[in-house]
């Protein structure tokens, strides 16, 4: 058979397959993008599991419970062990308490773990020592983050640059988000002892401003920082964070096109999202949604700063979804519920950690 005839026959067979439904249309041009392929329950008996951070060796993750101030070690198989509590913590009668956790990338040497939590005077970032069995020691590295019943932010993440990033809410005082002298309504970037990281745009801890209640932070394969935040009554946001950029709150909720303010890369109505944690896996941002009770997948464009069409999974199946985390060395995600948080209507102990396979 000549090359021309072979090419024509292949095209005809491909068209026939599409028409008969044997091949999905997306495979005609490129291989289908990875997406969630299954979900199982990994661990039960939780009460508002808020933050998750893996040890660098992948042997276990540390998981915080917001209102009990307790930290657990969870193995890849789901075995849970209590390792301690974070002192000086308190709730706010709303969304404050023990929130984010981040493990020092050099943990094998330092044994340091970082927490963001509410205390008597405000929200703090603190460092403790975890020897693989027990949490000990306590050092506050950042104070002065105003607290409120709601809008405390709370996420921590180490960047590929080795510095610690933190998200803070506006503490229900909207003007703080635009105040460069305030630590509220910001993304902060710091050294491991809480000092402003070299290269910060204003010479302070502030890395970006104009945020309402950011609860999602994750870095992609290109080292870019993505952030998700809860809107007020209109639009929730997914932002690409750049140093010194102003993301608009309270002048803007969602896209507004105001000079000097940076528009989000994607928005949602608050009823279909109200996002908390995010993770990046296989070229996409995965976003856990509280009020929306679903997991969003937002594909990233490898060559631009744009994002593709968002797809929702597990809508209403598991209730309020708080944190999504990649599993080291595996095409899996951990996804936690917080249905016992006062808004989900479930009792203490009803939350769980799910494992999602992608492929």
């Amino acid at each position: 058979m000549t090359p021309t005839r072979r090419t024509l026959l292949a095209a005809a067979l491909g068209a026939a397959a599409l028409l008969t439904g044997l091949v999905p249309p997306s495979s005609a041009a490129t291989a289908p993008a990875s997406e969630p392929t299954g979900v199982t329950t990994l661990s039960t008996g939780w009460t508002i599991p808020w933050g998750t951070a893996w040890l660098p060796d992948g042997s276990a993750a540390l998981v915080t419970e917001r209102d009990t101030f307790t930290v657990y070690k969870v193995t890849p198989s789901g075995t849970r062990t209590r390792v301690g509590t974070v002192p000086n913590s308190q709730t706010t009668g709303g969304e404050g308490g023990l929130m984010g956790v981040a493990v020092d990338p050099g943990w094998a040497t330092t044994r340091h773990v970082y927490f963001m939590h509410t205390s008597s005077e405000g929200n703090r970032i603190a460092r403790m020592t975890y020897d693989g069995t027990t949490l000990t020691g306590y050092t506050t590295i950042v104070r002065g983050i105003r607290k409120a019943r709601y809008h405390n932010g709370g996420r921590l993440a180490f960047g590929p640059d080795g510095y610690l990033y933190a998200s803070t809410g506006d503490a229900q005082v909207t003007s703080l988000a635009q105040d460069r002298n305030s630590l509220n309504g910001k993304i902060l970037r710091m050294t491991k002892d809480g000092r402003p990281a070299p290269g910060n745009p204003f010479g302070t801890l502030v890395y970006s401003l104009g945020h309402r209640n950011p609860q999602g932070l994750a870095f992609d394969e290109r080292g870019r920082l993505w952030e998700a935040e809860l809107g007020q009554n209109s639009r929730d946001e997914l932002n690409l964070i750049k140093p010194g950029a102003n993301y608009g709150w309270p002048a803007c909720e969602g896209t507004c096109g105001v000079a000097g303010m940076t528009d989000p890369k994607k928005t949602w109505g608050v009823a279909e999202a109200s996002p908390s944690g995010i993770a990046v896996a296989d070229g996409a941002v995965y976003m856990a949604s509280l009020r929306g009770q679903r997991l969003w997948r937002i594909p990233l464009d490898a060559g631009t700063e744009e994002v593709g069409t968002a797809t929702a999974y597990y809508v209403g199946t598991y209730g309020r979804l708080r944190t999504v985390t990649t599993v080291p060395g595996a095409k899996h995600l951990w996804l936690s519920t917080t249905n016992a948080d006062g808004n989900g209507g479930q009792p203490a102990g009803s939350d769980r950690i799910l494992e999602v396979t992608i492929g």
Side-chain angles (χ1 to χ4, degrees), residues 8-357:
L8 291 172
L9 179 58
L13 290 172
L18 287 172
L19 289 172
T20 57
L22 297 176
V23 179
S26 61
S27 67
T30 60
S34 66
E35 57 186 21
T37 57
V39 59
T40 58
T41 296
L42 181 76
S43 180
T44 60
W46 293 87
T47 302
I48 319 176
W50 206 100
T52 302
W54 282 86
L55 300 178
D57 62 7
S59 61
L62 296 181
V63 180
T64 63
E65 278 194 338
R66 189 189 70 189
D67 289 6
T68 67
F69 323 125
T70 307
V71 183
Y72 294 90
K73 177 181 74 174
V74 183
T75 67
S77 65
T79 300
R80 177 176 61 179
T81 306
R82 183 182 182 275
V83 300
T85 59
V86 175
N88 305 311
S89 295
Q90 66 175 221
T91 64
T92 64
E95 295 178 348
L98 176 57
M99 298 172 288
V101 55
V103 178
D104 188 336
W107 174 81
T109 300
T110 68
R111 301 295 179 180
H112 287 160
V113 179
Y114 294 79
F115 299 96
M116 187 165 174
H117 69 92
T118 308
S119 67
S120 58
E121 87 287 346
N123 289 314
R124 297 181 184 178
I125 299 171
R127 183 177 66 217
M128 297 184 72
T129 298
Y130 174 62
D131 63 5
T133 303
T134 306
L135 274 175
T136 58
Y138 178 90
T139 301
T140 300
I141 66 168
V142 176
R143 297 177 187 263
I145 306 169
R146 188 166 173 169
K147 68 176 181 179
R149 184 176 183 183
Y150 303 108
H151 303 191
N152 293 287
R155 197 69 60 179
L156 295 177
F158 272 98
D161 56 7
Y163 295 113
L164 180 63
Y165 292 74
S167 69
T168 68
D170 68 7
Q172 298 179 264
V173 180
T174 60
S175 60
L176 296 179
Q178 291 296 321
D179 182 354
R180 292 186 183 180
N181 295 315
S182 170
L183 297 181
N184 286 87
K186 309 294 190 297
I187 305 300
L188 309 179
R189 177 175 176 261
M190 69 199 72
T191 65
K192 295 178 183 180
D193 57 4
R195 292 179 297 177
N200 279 5
F202 311 115
T204 66
L205 291 172
V206 174
Y207 191 67
S208 66
L209 67 155
H211 301 288
R212 180 178 180 269
N213 190 18
Q215 291 190 9
L217 293 177
F219 291 87
D220 66 17
E221 293 88 344
R222 295 164 60 184
R224 301 178 302 175
L225 177 58
W226 294 87
E227 172 260 11
E229 68 181 85
L230 295 98
Q232 185 174 31
N233 300 312
S234 177
R235 309 303 294 178
D236 297 321
E237 301 178 0
L238 177 69
N239 292 297
L240 178 58
I241 300 300
K242 295 187 176 182
N246 185 337
Y247 291 85
W249 178 255
C252 301
E253 182 181 356
T255 302
C256 67
V258 173
M261 296 184 176
T262 302
D263 285 337
K265 296 300 181 182
K266 182 74 74 174
T267 67
W268 294 262
V270 295
E272 58 184 357
S274 298
S276 186
I278 62 173
V280 176
D282 243 15
V285 173
Y286 286 87
M287 187 176 81
S289 296
L290 295 165
R291 184 177 172 187
Q293 300 188 11
R294 65 198 74 184
L295 177 67
W296 285 101
R297 179 186 182 276
I298 308 101
L300 302 177
D301 189 316
T304 73
E305 295 185 350
E306 301 311 308
V307 301
T309 301
T311 304
Y313 297 86
Y314 318 126
V315 179
T317 303
Y318 301 107
R320 293 167 61 80
L321 302 179
R322 174 70 63 176
T323 295
V324 57
T325 312
T326 56
V327 177
K331 295 184 71 171
H332 294 167
L333 303 169
W334 280 10
L335 182 62
S336 67
T337 72
T338 51
N339 292 310
D341 65 0
N343 292 306
Q346 298 297 314
S350 62
D351 287 315
R352 50 182 161 167
I353 297 175
L354 308 165
E355 185 166 64
V356 178
T357 57

